[in-house]
Amino acid sequence: MSTHSKQAEASAEKEDSQAGQRFVYQDDELIEKPFDWGQLRRLFSYMKPYRKQMLPIIIIMMFVGAITKLTIPLLIRVAIDDAITPKNKNLLLWIVGIMLGVYVIQWLANTFRIKYTNMIGQRVIYDLRHDLFSHIQKLSFRFFDTRPAGSVLVRVTNYVNSLQDLFTNGVVNLLIDLVQLCGIIIILLTYNFKLGAAIIVTVPIMFLVSTKLRKKIRQAWQDVTMKQSRLNAHLNECIQGIRVTQAYTQEKENIHFFTKMNMINRLSWNRASMLNQSFGPIIEITGAIGYFILFWLGAHFIQTGEITIGLLVAFATYIGYFWEPINRLGQMYSQLLIAMASAERIFEYIDEKPTVAESKDASELPPIQGHVKFEQIVFEYEPGRPALNGISLEVQAGQSIALVGHTGSGKSTIMNLLCRFYDPVQGRVLVDGNDIREVTIQSLRSQIGIVLQDTFIFSGTIRDNIRFGRLDATNEEIEQAAKAVHAHDFIVSLPGGYDTEVQERGNVLSMGQRQLISFARALLANPQVLILDEATASIDTETELKIQEALKTLLAGRTSFIVAHRLSTIRNADKIVVLDHGRMMEIGNHEELMREQQIYYGLIQAQYKFLQNAV
């Protein structure tokens, strides 16, 4: 290894904890607890749905394969003692033919076993990944606020993938090895108890020595999963922020930091792998001791006539068979440690309870009129730091409400509470007199449309992105929604029209075009309550004028909440609510608030001044 590489590794080792600090999250701590057999049973419970379908076949094939393998040394003993020594060629030919048939049966049994274990293993992995992903979809915003996307991604992909060997090979191989070991022990003790016992006595010694390694190996693999999670988190952040990185020419810094984390991950894996491989030498040394005992005692027993040469050869073959499963059991234990390190992280997420959850007796929210009421709302993102403090607001059905205020005043938070992305610490939110905590989340959100400033476009066609608002919408309804928000003209000008493929986040579209698609998506859902959270911030003035005309018709009869800074967007609202540091300071229409010449008046004057300076 070069001096540069050694220095880099030493630096990586020294800065391991420092590099991790950039991506330390709630789930990035090393789990310090004993081996959890209950969690292991929980992991294997995913095999239960298939035990009646395929397990009987696998078990039968497993026993056939084990029995045929254990038969070979006995046939070798018969061949040496009863055919080769007395020079009985006919018997030798029969024994060779029988051995050939046994090998064919063993090959067929193993082929079918491997086929069905792979089928079960892949189905178990499918079910586990499906359960994890489905549960993540139900978790609340607060969960994602404290975890990077890469940390979530690594659990659905890498950690689940790391369990494949356990389910496709490990479990069945464990059973085969146990059956094979029991069979070998019985045969050795049956044919010569003293020689068999002398050989088997080495096994407890091997397990006693290897026991001390188990805790270190488990912690080492936990450390590997933690480092991989951090690496994925950093990688996801770098990909998402590549434009900012290149804009500020920070590529070298990013490469340097990634190289450091990558090396830390490699060193962590090396440490775990080194401990993992330490089982091999222990088993080899123990096996060598077993062979020494066999030939030392075996030679004595042959001289005394207690055993034959054929039996000694059979014993030597059985010892080879004996240490083979012992070695695999050591590897299986290491595989279990790797699996448990991954399973602990997976089940952490599956066991995560949504902070916003439906009550057991939640009822369906009937079709709403749009009467919304906030009663003495107090909300905190962090304990002791209220984002909203004592907010009370009543909005009649069909009214349009504009929320204005400085950044961080609580405008978007109010909208998040209305959609029940979070629950208030105190107070309640009512829709048509129904406390939204007492109705199902789906029935509430399905009647609320929302357009965000940061519009998300999914991979697929433009038509599919608009249809996301209502999956049963016809093509005609999709086009009508697009025309209503003036998105139709730019869509049909694209090479594929409505069937134009857009990549992740719609990078081929301009910011304004993505916003228009988001408008069409929300309007297609035909919600009774519509939320526009800085929805026109990224649209040019000409397009905004068209949308303002469209909104006069589209918002008619709907309750609408508008979070915006542009005067053109809010001046026609029925009510304007001015927020400051989580408190409601003023409320009224545009003319009333301008006459009062308070906070709202100051915001408008600042906007006028900014526009004049810009011109």
Side-chain angles (χ1 to χ4, degrees), residues 252-323:
K252 288 185 179 180
E253 173 63 23
N254 255 11
I255 292 171
H256 174 71
F257 191 83
F258 179 81
T259 301
K260 192 178 298 181
M261 293 193 71
N262 197 23
M263 185 170 292
I264 289 170
N265 179 67
R266 179 172 67 85
L267 293 174
S268 177
W269 182 276
N270 287 345
R271 285 193 294 267
S273 180
M274 181 181 65
L275 289 171
N276 190 39
Q277 295 301 321
S278 61
F279 271 110
I282 293 174
I283 293 171
E284 288 177 6
I285 292 172
T286 312
I289 295 172
Y291 275 113
F292 173 79
I293 293 172
L294 170 68
F295 290 113
W296 184 65
L297 283 178
H300 172 71
F301 288 155
I302 287 175
Q303 291 174 357
T304 60
E306 191 169 341
I307 65 172
T308 64
I309 295 176
L311 187 60
L312 180 65
V313 174
F315 263 59
T317 306
Y318 278 125
I319 289 179
Y321 287 174
F322 185 78
W323 292 112

Coordinates of all heavy atoms in Angstrom, one line a residue, residues 252-323:
K252 N -14.7 20.0 -5.8 CA -13.6 19.4 -5.1 C -13.9 19.2 -3.6 O -13.5 18.1 -3.1 CB -12.4 20.4 -5.2 CG -11.8 20.4 -6.6 CD -10.5 21.2 -6.7 CE -9.9 21.3 -8.1 NZ -8.7 22.1 -8.2
E253 N -14.5 20.1 -3.0 CA -14.9 19.9 -1.6 C -15.8 18.7 -1.4 O -15.6 17.9 -0.5 CB -15.5 21.2 -1.0 CG -16.0 21.1 0.4 CD -15.0 20.7 1.4 OE1 -13.8 21.0 1.2 OE2 -15.3 20.2 2.5
N254 N -16.8 18.6 -2.3 CA -17.7 17.5 -2.2 C -17.0 16.2 -2.5 O -17.3 15.2 -1.8 CB -18.8 17.7 -3.2 CG -20.1 18.1 -2.6 OD1 -20.2 18.5 -1.4 ND2 -21.2 18.1 -3.3
I255 N -16.1 16.1 -3.4 CA -15.4 14.9 -3.7 C -14.5 14.5 -2.6 O -14.4 13.4 -2.2 CB -14.5 15.1 -5.0 CG1 -15.4 15.3 -6.3 CG2 -13.5 13.9 -5.2 CD1 -14.7 15.7 -7.5
H256 N -13.8 15.5 -1.9 CA -13.0 15.3 -0.8 C -13.8 14.7 0.4 O -13.4 13.7 1.0 CB -12.3 16.6 -0.3 CG -11.5 16.5 0.9 ND1 -10.3 15.8 1.0 CD2 -11.8 16.9 2.2 CE1 -9.9 15.8 2.2 NE2 -10.7 16.5 3.0
F257 N -14.9 15.3 0.6 CA -15.8 14.8 1.7 C -16.3 13.4 1.5 O -16.3 12.5 2.3 CB -16.9 15.8 2.0 CG -17.6 15.5 3.3 CD1 -17.2 16.0 4.5 CD2 -18.8 14.7 3.3 CE1 -17.8 15.7 5.7 CE2 -19.5 14.5 4.5 CZ -19.0 15.0 5.7
F258 N -16.8 13.2 0.2 CA -17.3 11.9 -0.2 C -16.2 10.8 -0.1 O -16.4 9.7 0.4 CB -17.9 11.9 -1.6 CG -18.4 10.6 -2.1 CD1 -19.7 10.1 -1.7 CD2 -17.7 9.7 -2.9 CE1 -20.2 8.9 -2.1 CE2 -18.1 8.5 -3.3 CZ -19.4 8.1 -2.9
T259 N -15.0 11.1 -0.6 CA -13.9 10.2 -0.5 C -13.6 9.8 0.9 O -13.3 8.6 1.2 CB -12.6 10.8 -1.1 OG1 -12.9 11.2 -2.5 CG2 -11.4 9.9 -1.1
K260 N -13.6 10.8 1.8 CA -13.4 10.5 3.2 C -14.5 9.5 3.8 O -14.1 8.5 4.5 CB -13.4 11.8 4.0 CG -12.8 11.7 5.4 CD -12.8 13.0 6.1 CE -11.9 14.0 5.4 NZ -11.9 15.3 6.0
M261 N -15.7 9.8 3.5 CA -16.8 9.0 4.0 C -16.8 7.6 3.3 O -17.0 6.6 4.0 CB -18.2 9.6 3.7 CG -18.4 10.9 4.5 SD -20.1 11.4 4.5 CE -20.9 10.1 5.5
N262 N -16.4 7.6 2.1 CA -16.3 6.3 1.4 C -15.2 5.4 2.0 O -15.3 4.2 2.1 CB -16.0 6.6 -0.1 CG -16.3 5.4 -1.0 OD1 -17.0 4.5 -0.6 ND2 -15.6 5.3 -2.1
M263 N -14.1 6.1 2.3 CA -13.0 5.3 3.0 C -13.4 4.8 4.3 O -13.0 3.7 4.8 CB -11.7 6.2 3.0 CG -10.5 5.4 3.5 SD -9.0 6.4 3.3 CE -8.8 6.4 1.5
I264 N -14.1 5.7 5.1 CA -14.5 5.3 6.4 C -15.5 4.1 6.3 O -15.4 3.1 7.1 CB -15.3 6.4 7.1 CG1 -14.3 7.5 7.5 CG2 -16.1 6.0 8.3 CD1 -14.9 8.8 8.0
N265 N -16.3 4.1 5.3 CA -17.2 2.9 5.0 C -16.4 1.7 4.7 O -16.7 0.6 5.2 CB -18.2 3.3 3.9 CG -19.1 2.1 3.6 OD1 -20.0 1.8 4.4 ND2 -18.9 1.6 2.4
R266 N -15.4 1.8 3.9 CA -14.5 0.7 3.5 C -13.8 0.1 4.7 O -13.7 -1.1 4.9 CB -13.5 1.1 2.4 CG -12.6 0.0 2.0 CD -11.8 0.4 0.8 NE -10.8 1.4 1.1 CZ -9.6 1.2 1.6 NH1 -9.2 0.0 1.9 NH2 -8.8 2.2 1.8
L267 N -13.2 1.0 5.5 CA -12.5 0.5 6.7 C -13.4 -0.2 7.7 O -13.0 -1.2 8.3 CB -11.8 1.7 7.4 CG -10.7 2.4 6.6 CD1 -10.2 3.6 7.3 CD2 -9.5 1.4 6.3
S268 N -14.6 0.4 7.8 CA -15.6 -0.3 8.7 C -15.9 -1.7 8.2 O -16.0 -2.6 9.0 CB -16.9 0.6 8.8 OG -17.9 0.0 9.5
W269 N -16.1 -1.8 6.9 CA -16.4 -3.1 6.3 C -15.2 -4.0 6.5 O -15.4 -5.2 6.8 CB -16.7 -3.0 4.8 CG -17.1 -4.3 4.2 CD1 -16.2 -5.2 3.7 CD2 -18.4 -4.8 4.0 NE1 -16.9 -6.3 3.2 CE2 -18.2 -6.1 3.4 CE3 -19.7 -4.3 4.3 CZ2 -19.3 -6.9 3.0 CZ3 -20.8 -5.1 3.9 CH2 -20.6 -6.4 3.3
N270 N -14.0 -3.5 6.3 CA -12.8 -4.3 6.5 C -12.7 -4.9 7.9 O -12.3 -6.1 8.1 CB -11.5 -3.5 6.2 CG -11.3 -3.3 4.7 OD1 -12.0 -3.9 3.9 ND2 -10.5 -2.4 4.3
R271 N -13.0 -4.0 8.9 CA -12.9 -4.5 10.3 C -13.9 -5.6 10.5 O -13.6 -6.6 11.2 CB -13.2 -3.3 11.2 CG -12.1 -2.3 11.4 CD -12.3 -1.4 12.5 NE -13.4 -0.5 12.3 CZ -13.4 0.7 11.8 NH1 -12.2 1.2 11.4 NH2 -14.4 1.4 11.6
A272 N -15.2 -5.4 10.0 CA -16.2 -6.4 10.2 C -15.9 -7.7 9.5 O -16.0 -8.8 10.0 CB -17.6 -5.9 9.7
S273 N -15.3 -7.6 8.3 CA -15.0 -8.8 7.5 C -13.8 -9.5 8.1 O -13.8 -10.8 8.1 CB -14.6 -8.3 6.1 OG -14.2 -9.4 5.3
M274 N -12.9 -8.8 8.7 CA -11.7 -9.4 9.4 C -12.2 -10.3 10.6 O -11.8 -11.4 10.7 CB -10.7 -8.4 9.8 CG -9.5 -9.0 10.5 SD -8.3 -7.7 11.0 CE -9.3 -6.9 12.3
L275 N -13.1 -9.7 11.4 CA -13.6 -10.4 12.5 C -14.4 -11.6 12.0 O -14.4 -12.7 12.6 CB -14.5 -9.5 13.4 CG -13.7 -8.5 14.2 CD1 -14.7 -7.5 14.8 CD2 -12.9 -9.1 15.3
N276 N -15.2 -11.4 10.9 CA -16.1 -12.4 10.4 C -15.2 -13.6 9.9 O -15.6 -14.8 10.1 CB -16.9 -11.9 9.2 CG -17.9 -12.8 8.8 OD1 -18.6 -13.5 9.6 ND2 -18.2 -12.9 7.5
Q277 N -14.1 -13.3 9.3 CA -13.3 -14.4 8.7 C -12.5 -15.1 9.8 O -11.9 -16.2 9.5 CB -12.3 -13.8 7.7 CG -13.0 -13.3 6.5 CD -13.8 -14.3 5.7 OE1 -13.4 -15.5 5.6 NE2 -14.9 -13.9 5.2
S278 N -12.5 -14.6 11.0 CA -11.7 -15.3 12.1 C -12.3 -16.6 12.5 O -11.6 -17.4 13.1 CB -11.6 -14.3 13.3 OG -12.9 -14.1 13.8
F279 N -13.6 -16.9 12.1 CA -14.2 -18.2 12.4 C -13.4 -19.3 11.6 O -13.3 -20.4 12.1 CB -15.6 -18.1 12.0 CG -16.5 -17.7 13.1 CD1 -17.2 -16.5 13.0 CD2 -16.8 -18.5 14.2 CE1 -18.0 -16.1 14.0 CE2 -17.6 -18.1 15.2 CZ -18.2 -16.9 15.2
G280 N -13.0 -18.9 10.4 CA -12.4 -20.0 9.5 C -11.2 -20.6 10.1 O -11.1 -21.9 10.3
P281 N -10.2 -19.8 10.5 CA -9.0 -20.4 11.1 C -9.3 -21.3 12.4 O -8.7 -22.3 12.6 CB -8.1 -19.2 11.5 CG -8.6 -18.2 10.5 CD -10.0 -18.4 10.3
I282 N -10.2 -20.8 13.2 CA -10.6 -21.5 14.4 C -11.1 -22.9 14.1 O -10.7 -23.9 14.6 CB -11.7 -20.7 15.2 CG1 -11.0 -19.4 15.8 CG2 -12.2 -21.6 16.4 CD1 -12.0 -18.5 16.5
I283 N -12.0 -22.9 13.0 CA -12.6 -24.2 12.6 C -11.5 -25.1 12.0 O -11.5 -26.3 12.2 CB -13.7 -24.0 11.7 CG1 -14.9 -23.3 12.4 CG2 -14.2 -25.3 11.0 CD1 -16.0 -22.8 11.6
E284 N -10.6 -24.5 11.2 CA -9.6 -25.3 10.6 C -8.6 -25.9 11.6 O -8.2 -27.1 11.5 CB -8.8 -24.4 9.6 CG -9.6 -24.1 8.3 CD -8.8 -23.1 7.4 OE1 -7.6 -22.9 7.8 OE2 -9.3 -22.7 6.4
I285 N -8.3 -25.2 12.6 CA -7.4 -25.7 13.7 C -8.1 -26.8 14.4 O -7.5 -27.9 14.7 CB -7.0 -24.6 14.6 CG1 -6.0 -23.6 13.9 CG2 -6.3 -25.1 15.8 CD1 -5.7 -22.3 14.7
T286 N -9.4 -26.6 14.7 CA -10.1 -27.6 15.4 C -10.3 -28.8 14.6 O -10.2 -30.0 15.1 CB -11.5 -27.1 15.8 OG1 -11.4 -25.8 16.4 CG2 -12.2 -28.0 16.8
G287 N -10.5 -28.7 13.3 CA -10.6 -29.8 12.3 C -9.3 -30.6 12.3 O -9.3 -31.8 12.2
A288 N -8.2 -29.8 12.3 CA -6.8 -30.5 12.2 C -6.6 -31.4 13.5 O -6.1 -32.5 13.4 CB -5.7 -29.5 12.1
I289 N -7.1 -30.8 14.6 CA -7.0 -31.6 15.9 C -7.8 -32.9 15.8 O -7.4 -33.9 16.2 CB -7.4 -30.7 17.1 CG1 -6.5 -29.6 17.3 CG2 -7.5 -31.6 18.4 CD1 -6.9 -28.5 18.3
G290 N -9.0 -32.7 15.2 CA -9.9 -33.9 15.0 C -9.2 -35.0 14.1 O -9.3 -36.2 14.5
Y291 N -8.6 -34.6 13.0 CA -7.9 -35.5 12.2 C -6.7 -36.2 12.9 O -6.5 -37.4 12.8 CB -7.4 -34.8 10.9 CG -8.5 -34.7 9.8 CD1 -9.0 -33.5 9.4 CD2 -8.9 -35.9 9.2 CE1 -9.9 -33.4 8.4 CE2 -9.9 -35.8 8.2 CZ -10.4 -34.6 7.8 OH -11.3 -34.5 6.8
F292 N -6.0 -35.4 13.7 CA -4.9 -35.9 14.5 C -5.4 -37.0 15.4 O -4.8 -38.1 15.5 CB -4.2 -34.8 15.3 CG -3.2 -35.3 16.2 CD1 -1.9 -35.7 15.7 CD2 -3.4 -35.4 17.6 CE1 -0.9 -36.2 16.6 CE2 -2.5 -35.9 18.4 CZ -1.2 -36.3 17.9
I293 N -6.5 -36.8 16.1 CA -7.1 -37.7 17.0 C -7.5 -39.0 16.3 O -7.3 -40.1 16.7 CB -8.3 -37.1 17.8 CG1 -7.8 -36.0 18.8 CG2 -9.0 -38.2 18.6 CD1 -8.9 -35.2 19.4
L294 N -8.2 -38.8 15.1 CA -8.7 -39.9 14.3 C -7.5 -40.8 13.9 O -7.6 -42.1 14.1 CB -9.4 -39.4 13.1 CG -9.8 -40.4 12.0 CD1 -10.8 -41.4 12.6 CD2 -10.2 -39.8 10.7
F295 N -6.5 -40.3 13.3 CA -5.4 -41.2 12.8 C -4.6 -41.7 13.9 O -4.0 -42.8 13.8 CB -4.6 -40.4 11.8 CG -5.3 -40.2 10.5 CD1 -5.6 -38.9 10.1 CD2 -5.7 -41.2 9.7 CE1 -6.3 -38.6 8.9 CE2 -6.4 -41.0 8.5 CZ -6.7 -39.7 8.1
W296 N -4.4 -41.0 15.0 CA -3.6 -41.5 16.1 C -4.4 -42.7 16.8 O -3.8 -43.8 17.0 CB -3.4 -40.4 17.1 CG -2.5 -40.8 18.3 CD1 -1.2 -41.2 18.2 CD2 -2.9 -40.9 19.6 NE1 -0.7 -41.5 19.5 CE2 -1.7 -41.3 20.4 CE3 -4.1 -40.6 20.3 CZ2 -1.8 -41.5 21.8 CZ3 -4.1 -40.8 21.7 CH2 -3.0 -41.2 22.4
L297 N -5.6 -42.4 17.2 CA -6.4 -43.5 17.8 C -6.8 -44.6 16.8 O -6.8 -45.8 17.1 CB -7.7 -43.0 18.4 CG -7.5 -42.2 19.8 CD1 -8.9 -41.7 20.3 CD2 -6.9 -43.2 20.8
G298 N -7.1 -44.1 15.5 CA -7.5 -45.1 14.5 C -6.4 -46.1 14.2 O -6.7 -47.3 14.0
A299 N -5.2 -45.7 14.1 CA -4.1 -46.6 13.8 C -4.0 -47.6 14.9 O -3.8 -48.8 14.7 CB -2.8 -45.8 13.7
H300 N -4.2 -47.2 16.2 CA -4.1 -48.1 17.3 C -5.3 -49.1 17.3 O -5.1 -50.3 17.5 CB -4.2 -47.3 18.6 CG -4.3 -48.1 19.9 ND1 -3.3 -48.9 20.3 CD2 -5.4 -48.3 20.7 CE1 -3.7 -49.6 21.4 NE2 -5.0 -49.2 21.7
F301 N -6.5 -48.6 16.9 CA -7.6 -49.5 16.9 C -7.5 -50.5 15.7 O -8.0 -51.6 15.8 CB -8.9 -48.7 16.8 CG -9.3 -48.0 18.0 CD1 -10.1 -46.8 18.0 CD2 -8.9 -48.4 19.3 CE1 -10.5 -46.2 19.1 CE2 -9.2 -47.7 20.4 CZ -10.0 -46.6 20.3
I302 N -6.9 -50.1 14.6 CA -6.7 -51.0 13.5 C -5.7 -52.2 13.9 O -6.0 -53.3 13.6 CB -6.2 -50.3 12.3 CG1 -7.3 -49.4 11.6 CG2 -5.6 -51.3 11.2 CD1 -6.8 -48.6 10.5
Q303 N -4.7 -51.8 14.7 CA -3.7 -52.8 15.1 C -4.3 -53.8 16.1 O -4.0 -55.0 16.1 CB -2.5 -52.1 15.8 CG -1.6 -51.3 14.8 CD -0.6 -50.5 15.5 OE1 -0.5 -50.5 16.7 NE2 0.3 -49.9 14.7
T304 N -5.3 -53.3 16.9 CA -5.9 -54.2 17.8 C -7.1 -54.9 17.2 O -7.7 -55.7 17.9 CB -6.4 -53.3 19.1 OG1 -7.3 -52.3 18.6 CG2 -5.2 -52.7 19.8
G305 N -7.4 -54.5 16.0 CA -8.5 -55.2 15.3 C -9.9 -54.7 15.7 O -10.9 -55.3 15.3
E306 N -9.9 -53.5 16.4 CA -11.2 -53.0 16.8 C -12.0 -52.3 15.6 O -13.2 -52.3 15.6 CB -11.0 -51.9 17.9 CG -12.3 -51.5 18.6 CD -12.0 -50.7 19.9 OE1 -10.8 -50.8 20.4 OE2 -12.9 -50.0 20.4
I307 N -11.3 -51.8 14.7 CA -11.9 -51.2 13.5 C -11.1 -51.7 12.2 O -10.0 -52.2 12.3 CB -11.9 -49.7 13.5 CG1 -10.5 -49.1 13.4 CG2 -12.7 -49.1 14.7 CD1 -10.5 -47.6 13.3
T308 N -11.8 -51.5 11.1 CA -11.1 -51.9 9.8 C -10.6 -50.7 9.1 O -10.9 -49.5 9.5 CB -12.1 -52.6 8.9 OG1 -13.2 -51.7 8.6 CG2 -12.7 -53.9 9.6
I309 N -9.8 -50.9 8.1 CA -9.3 -49.8 7.3 C -10.4 -49.0 6.6 O -10.4 -47.8 6.5 CB -8.3 -50.3 6.2 CG1 -7.0 -50.9 6.9 CG2 -7.9 -49.2 5.3 CD1 -6.0 -51.5 6.0
G310 N -11.4 -49.8 6.1 CA -12.6 -49.2 5.4 C -13.3 -48.2 6.4 O -13.8 -47.2 6.0
L311 N -13.5 -48.7 7.7 CA -14.2 -47.8 8.6 C -13.3 -46.6 8.9 O -13.9 -45.5 9.1 CB -14.4 -48.6 9.9 CG -15.3 -47.9 11.0 CD1 -16.7 -47.6 10.4 CD2 -15.5 -48.7 12.2
L312 N -12.0 -46.7 9.0 CA -11.1 -45.5 9.2 C -11.3 -44.5 8.1 O -11.4 -43.3 8.3 CB -9.7 -46.0 9.3 CG -8.7 -44.8 9.6 CD1 -8.9 -44.2 10.9 CD2 -7.2 -45.3 9.5
V313 N -11.3 -45.0 6.8 CA -11.5 -44.1 5.7 C -12.9 -43.5 5.8 O -13.1 -42.3 5.5 CB -11.4 -44.9 4.4 CG1 -11.7 -44.0 3.2 CG2 -9.9 -45.4 4.2
A314 N -13.9 -44.3 6.1 CA -15.3 -43.7 6.3 C -15.3 -42.6 7.3 O -15.9 -41.6 7.2 CB -16.3 -44.9 6.6
F315 N -14.6 -42.9 8.5 CA -14.6 -41.9 9.6 C -13.9 -40.6 9.1 O -14.3 -39.5 9.4 CB -13.8 -42.5 10.8 CG -14.7 -43.1 11.8 CD1 -15.6 -44.1 11.5 CD2 -14.7 -42.6 13.1 CE1 -16.4 -44.6 12.5 CE2 -15.5 -43.1 14.1 CZ -16.4 -44.1 13.8
A316 N -12.8 -40.8 8.3 CA -12.1 -39.6 7.8 C -13.0 -38.8 6.8 O -13.0 -37.6 6.8 CB -10.9 -40.1 7.0
T317 N -13.8 -39.5 6.0 CA -14.8 -38.8 5.1 C -15.8 -38.1 6.0 O -16.2 -37.0 5.7 CB -15.4 -39.9 4.2 OG1 -14.4 -40.6 3.5 CG2 -16.3 -39.1 3.2
Y318 N -16.3 -38.8 7.0 CA -17.4 -38.2 7.8 C -16.8 -36.9 8.6 O -17.6 -36.0 8.8 CB -17.9 -39.2 8.9 CG -19.0 -40.1 8.3 CD1 -18.8 -41.5 8.4 CD2 -20.1 -39.6 7.7 CE1 -19.8 -42.3 7.9 CE2 -21.1 -40.4 7.2 CZ -20.9 -41.8 7.3 OH -21.9 -42.6 6.8
I319 N -15.5 -37.0 9.0 CA -15.0 -35.8 9.6 C -14.9 -34.6 8.6 O -15.2 -33.5 9.0 CB -13.6 -36.1 10.2 CG1 -13.7 -37.1 11.4 CG2 -12.8 -34.8 10.6 CD1 -12.4 -37.5 11.9
G320 N -14.6 -34.9 7.3 CA -14.6 -33.9 6.3 C -16.0 -33.3 6.2 O -16.2 -32.1 6.1
Y321 N -17.0 -34.2 6.2 CA -18.4 -33.8 6.2 C -18.8 -33.0 7.4 O -19.6 -32.1 7.4 CB -19.3 -35.0 6.0 CG -19.3 -35.7 4.7 CD1 -20.1 -36.8 4.5 CD2 -18.7 -35.1 3.6 CE1 -20.1 -37.4 3.2 CE2 -18.7 -35.7 2.3 CZ -19.4 -36.9 2.2 OH -19.4 -37.5 0.9
F322 N -18.2 -33.4 8.6 CA -18.5 -32.8 9.9 C -18.1 -31.4 10.0 O -18.9 -30.5 10.4 CB -17.9 -33.7 11.0 CG -18.3 -33.3 12.3 CD1 -19.5 -33.6 12.9 CD2 -17.4 -32.5 13.1 CE1 -19.9 -33.3 14.2 CE2 -17.8 -32.1 14.4 CZ -19.0 -32.5 14.9
W323 N -16.8 -31.1 9.6 CA -16.3 -29.7 9.7 C -16.9 -28.8 8.6 O -16.8 -27.6 8.8 CB -14.8 -29.7 9.7 CG -14.3 -30.4 11.0 CD1 -13.6 -31.6 11.1 CD2 -14.5 -29.9 12.3 NE1 -13.4 -31.9 12.4 CE2 -13.9 -30.9 13.2 CE3 -15.1 -28.8 12.9 CZ2 -13.8 -30.7 14.6 CZ3 -15.0 -28.6 14.3 CH2 -14.5 -29.6 15.1

